[in-house]
Amino acid sequence: HNKQNILHAPKQHKHPIELGFVQVGTESSWRAANSSSIKKAAQDFGIELKFKNANQSMENQIKAIRSFIRERVDVIAFSPVVQTGYEDVLREAKMAGIPVILTDRELGLKDDSLWLTSIGSDFQEEGRRAARWLLEQTKGVKKEINIVELQGTSGSSPAVYRKKGFEELLKNNSNYHIIASKSADFTKEAGRRVMKEYLKKYGDKIQVVYAHNDDMALGAIEAIEESGKNPGKDILIISVDATREALNALSAGKLNLTVECNPLLGPELMKAITDYVEGKEIPVKIITEEGIFSQENAKRDYLNRAY
Ligand code: GYE
């Protein structure tokens, strides 16, 4: 169905178009690349960007969206920290006739008339890609394989679906066990702290780390090195994002796989906004295409990596 008609037809807009954008925070390298991409693309498209950073807080995001509604910006875009809790403020935006676009993270709400479109990755497929690679690498291994998981921010769509996709493929193989799974909030610091706890508690039992992003994996690598073990050899490490730092760790043999998640969503977002104000039809969901990086292709790709 065409959501533009459900929401409302494009109204008069300011010149240049005004976009209020609410970012998650500054938790990861992925996020830094995402923020730069949005700022750069706004300039390239001649869109006036009002950018607010919510420091990983849903409450801050709600406040920021409310202030954008008061300022009567033309469009609001945001990446929801968590999947729920935004219903009221989204209804307020709708009543004010201001369209909302979701970028990167999604909402778990039934009423999808509260946003125009959502632009981002298929997180569940990313989780499946991580599991598929692990299954392939450990094919024929009969003994038990113990995995510890470093989850992203609790209740965020990437954490929920990267976990789901990973479990989905492992559950048919009885020798794979996720022996521990905790949030490390997508940060390097927390990744290191939680990994330290895991090593203390489970020690030599741990064969695989599955981290929902590179920053947590890089923190875990440090914790593993501090414990006297070899990350990438004694313990297999899998993560998501494929930032330059992660490709570097792959080349150094400390990381084994990173599933790509593309942060460069700026151009896609600005194009959707431009199309919208011109009254063109825009898709309900825009999914970015991505692959995986293992140690074999990391060296080559590191040189060309933009983030
Ligand atoms: O993977 C992580 C960031 O929402 C896809 O958030 C994004 C995730 C990304 O903090 O590094």
Side-chain angles (χ1 to χ4, degrees):
H1 59 172
N2 182 351
K3 296 224 277 183
Q4 278 173 90
N5 297 334
I6 299 169
L7 198 68
H8 57 87
K11 56 171 170 44
Q12 287 289 321
H13 61 84
K14 301 178 186 166
H15 296 277
I17 300 166
E18 231 173 67
L19 164 66
F21 185 85
V22 191
Q23 183 58 290
V24 171
T26 50
E27 74 284 3
S28 66
S29 320
W30 189 99
R31 190 63 57 196
N34 180 248
S35 293
S36 325
S37 168
I38 284 157
K39 288 173 185 166
K40 165 110 188 1
Q43 275 186 349
D44 293 347
F45 279 73
I47 289 176
E48 190 177 320
L49 174 66
K50 300 186 167 197
F51 188 97
K52 288 200 167 134
N53 187 331
N55 292 314
Q56 297 242 62
S57 142
M58 178 190 75
E59 286 78 16
N60 288 349
Q61 288 199 309
I62 291 172
K63 271 188 217 140
I65 295 170
R66 283 215 170 99
S67 79
F68 286 142
I69 296 172
R70 271 197 307 273
E71 289 170 40
R72 307 211 53 81
V73 297
D74 294 309
V75 180
I76 293 172
F78 82 116
S79 171
V81 176
V82 288
Q83 285 191 288
T84 51
Y86 300 90
E87 295 83 336
D88 288 347
V89 77
L90 291 180
R91 258 179 235 121
E92 288 163 33
K94 189 177 176 178
M95 297 242 299
I98 302 174
V100 173
I101 297 179
L102 304 179
T103 69
D104 158 31
R105 298 187 183 176
E106 296 203 292
L107 290 168
L109 303 180
K110 288 220 178 67
D111 183 3
D112 71 354
S113 77
L114 293 174
W115 60 92
L116 195 59
T117 181
S118 76
I119 303 170
S121 307
D122 182 341
F123 300 132
Q124 190 161 344
E125 184 54 28
E126 290 171 351
R128 287 190 204 109
R129 286 191 178 128
R132 231 174 254 137
W133 182 88
L134 177 63
L135 289 170
E136 187 57 39
Q137 286 299 303
T138 51
K139 208 160 66 197
V141 176
K142 295 263 151 44
K143 60 174 198 233
E144 307 298 290
I145 294 176
N146 294 320
I147 305 161
V148 296
E149 184 174 27
L150 295 169
Q151 291 183 40
T153 304
S154 306
S156 70
S157 66
V160 170
Y161 288 101
R162 284 173 186 167
K163 181 168 182 42
K164 205 172 174 192
F166 189 73
E167 284 172 347
E168 185 187 317
L169 293 202
L170 292 189
K171 70 168 185 264
N172 302 324
N173 299 273
S174 58
N175 57 327
Y176 292 81
H177 307 286
I178 300 176
I179 57 171
S181 181
K182 263 179 97 169
S183 168
D185 224 11
F186 281 127
T187 70
K188 183 172 180 183
E189 207 184 273
R192 180 182 167 156
R193 178 172 40 77
V194 175
M195 191 62 212
K196 251 188 157 144
E197 284 171 33
Y198 284 165
L199 285 161
K200 206 165 154 203
K201 199 155 171 205
Y202 303 102
D204 293 341
K205 270 180 87 175
I206 304 171
Q207 284 135 334
V208 180
V209 174
Y210 171 45
H212 290 182
N213 84 343
D214 289 340
D215 299 72
M216 294 189 292
L218 292 166
I221 287 172
E222 286 185 6
I224 293 168
E225 284 178 328
E226 281 161 23
S227 80
K229 288 191 198 311
N230 265 329
K233 298 187 183 70
D234 299 334
I235 300 177
L236 215 69
I237 304 174
I238 301 172
S239 69
V240 187
D241 276 354
T243 59
R244 194 192 306 191
E245 254 184 293
L247 297 193
N248 199 15
L250 277 175
S251 313
K254 296 180 181 189
L255 179 70
N256 301 89
L257 180 84
T258 179
V259 175
E260 183 184 22
C261 179
N262 188 354
L264 308 179
L265 305 177
E268 206 79 79
L269 170 62
M270 302 312 155
K271 186 177 179 296
I273 292 170
T274 311
D275 286 352
Y276 171 77
V277 299
E278 285 172 4
K280 288 187 193 150
E281 225 178 272
I282 62 173
V284 169
K285 169 105 189 114
I286 302 166
I287 302 172
T288 33
E289 266 186 50
E290 37 214 27
I292 61 170
F293 293 86
S294 61
Q295 293 182 346
E296 292 72 50
N297 53 14
K299 285 205 179 71
R300 189 197 65 217
D301 291 310
Y302 176 68
L303 297 169
N304 305 318
R305 205 69 179 153
Y307 49 91

